[in-house]
Amino acid sequence: MYTGFFGLNSQPFSIAPNPDFMYLGARHTEALAHLRYGLGDAGGFVLLTGEVGTGKTTVSRCLLAELPENTQVAFILNPTLSELELLAAICDELKIRYKKADASLKMLTDKITAKLLKNHQGGFNTILIIDEAQHLQPAVLEQLRLLTNLETNTRKLLQVILIGQPELQQLLQRQDLRQLAQRITARYHLMPLTLPEVQHYVQHRLQVAGCRRPVFTDGAFKKLYQLSGGIPRLVNLICDRALLGGYSQQKPLIDGKLVQQAAAEILAIRQPVAKAGWPVWVWPVLFMMCVALGVALARGLNLAGV
């Protein structure tokens, strides 16, 4: 609705993972470097954590885009699985054929082991990426550790990237998962964007969408950072609603007030309500009544001879 009004050729703040709008701030770049290091170190596990909407998926997509062609990737998006279901999902991702009726932990483990050996002999690396890994059960994580036991003298035949919310760090501190925790060769916690990064992020997406003029005021950026906490997903949602509000009010420049209104709609923030009080006209009337009362009292005192 607002694209033509602001001179845009597409919606700049869609939360869909469009690679054309890819933005890597300093912290995203650092996170990507940690993932590269962890995979290059031939270790078993790499850990990426961060709050919801901070850009973990963006970082993982960047990593996938630069992996060499001799890499087979298994991507698990729904980690609320049992040990058997996880192994079956890995088999599905790695195109391993098996009879579902005969599926057991041993049978599926043997199938995966054979596939890993075949990939290694053919010069292929195998990577398993699990998103929302904070939902993994301890028994499932232990099963993953057992899968990474297969190794040569120089490297693991299966490398695992665990991506999740901060609760994942707490999960891996369990005593019964200490062996897995010791195999994490690289870990990074992704923090939200800073105020300058929020400004660069918004301007980048606007430019990609074809905008060639300022759209947000400095006050709008400060308010946007304050209300979003620097979380890119929230920045997208608020900016999208603010542009819609600017269009509906025919305002070509988004100010802090429009951002505040947009955030109130998106985040259910209560707008400040003025305290109930007397109408303005009451005060002059009260003043005149006080004056009249004072005059009456003075006259009464004079008549009483005081």
Side-chain angles (χ1 to χ4, degrees):
M1 294 175 63
Y2 59 71
T3 51
F5 181 75
F6 289 100
L8 305 168
N9 50 41
S10 63
Q11 284 186 290
F13 299 108
S14 170
I15 60 174
N18 188 337
D20 293 338
F21 290 91
M22 186 74 70
Y23 172 85
L24 290 180
R27 294 172 183 177
H28 294 90
T29 303
E30 190 174 0
L32 186 57
H34 275 73
L35 294 184
R36 291 194 196 106
Y37 171 79
L39 294 179
D41 196 41
F45 289 87
V46 180
L47 182 65
L48 175 63
T49 58
E51 285 291 348
V52 177
T54 50
K56 302 183 295 297
T57 301
T58 298
V59 173
S60 64
R61 286 178 179 274
C62 287
L63 181 68
L64 287 173
E66 64 182 40
L67 289 176
E69 293 184 358
N70 64 332
T71 304
Q72 186 173 13
V73 178
F75 210 127
I76 306 297
L77 296 174
N78 176 24
T80 55
L81 306 169
S82 66
E83 300 101 299
L84 185 64
E85 290 170 336
L86 175 71
L87 294 182
I90 294 173
C91 287
D92 293 338
E93 287 290 309
L94 295 179
K95 303 295 188 284
I96 300 173
R97 300 181 64 180
Y98 64 94
K99 293 182 179 180
K100 294 184 180 181
D102 300 332
S104 65
L105 286 177
K106 183 181 185 308
M107 187 267 280
L108 295 179
T109 300
D110 290 344
K111 290 277 188 180
I112 294 172
T113 299
K115 178 67 173 181
L116 294 177
L117 287 170
K118 182 179 179 181
N119 278 354
H120 175 67
Q121 293 167 357
F124 278 81
N125 301 319
T126 310
I127 297 176
L128 171 63
I129 301 177
I130 302 181
D131 202 2
E132 302 292 344
Q134 73 275 0
H135 296 303
L136 289 170
Q137 296 298 317
V140 177
L141 284 167
E142 178 62 14
Q143 187 66 47
L144 284 175
R145 184 189 69 82
L146 294 175
L147 283 179
T148 62
N149 281 341
L150 192 62
E151 57 190 356
T152 66
N153 291 332
T154 58
R155 67 178 299 112
K156 298 284 186 181
L157 299 192
L158 176 66
Q159 294 178 294
V160 182
I161 300 177
L162 299 177
I163 303 173
Q165 297 171 24
E167 297 91 317
L168 178 58
Q169 296 184 21
Q170 301 172 9
L171 176 62
L172 293 175
Q173 291 176 5
R174 289 173 54 115
Q175 182 69 11
D176 55 340
L177 294 176
R178 63 188 183 280
Q179 292 188 68
L180 188 152
Q182 292 171 3
R183 295 190 182 186
I184 298 175
T185 56
R187 61 179 73 206
Y188 189 86
H189 184 70
L190 190 59
M191 298 294 291
L193 301 176
T194 63
L195 174 57
E197 286 177 331
V198 167
Q199 187 169 352
H200 294 155
Y201 174 81
V202 171
Q203 291 173 338
H204 165 76
R205 295 187 74 99
L206 286 170
Q207 289 173 2
V208 172
C211 185
R212 298 294 179 264
R213 66 170 181 82
V215 174
F216 289 80
T217 66
D218 290 340
F221 282 122
K222 292 179 181 178
K223 182 63 69 173
L224 178 61
Y225 173 70
Q226 173 191 345
L227 296 173
S228 69
I231 296 177
R233 187 178 300 166
L234 292 181
V235 171
N236 280 10
L237 291 171
I238 295 173
C239 285
D240 181 70
R241 188 59 62 91
L243 290 176
L244 182 60
Y247 166 73
S248 64
Q249 299 178 32
Q250 293 297 289
K251 290 184 176 181
L253 201 60
I254 305 299
D255 56 18
K257 184 178 180 180
L258 278 170
V259 170
Q260 176 74 44
Q261 292 172 350
E265 296 173 5
I266 294 296
L267 307 176
I269 298 174
R270 291 186 177 182
Q271 294 281 18
V273 179
K275 293 182 178 180
W278 291 340
V280 177
W281 59 266
V282 170
W283 298 106
V285 174
L286 288 176
F287 176 74
M288 295 302 295
M289 291 175 64
C290 289
V291 171
L293 181 60
V295 171
L297 287 174
R299 287 180 178 178
L301 291 175
N302 289 335
L303 290 175
V306 177

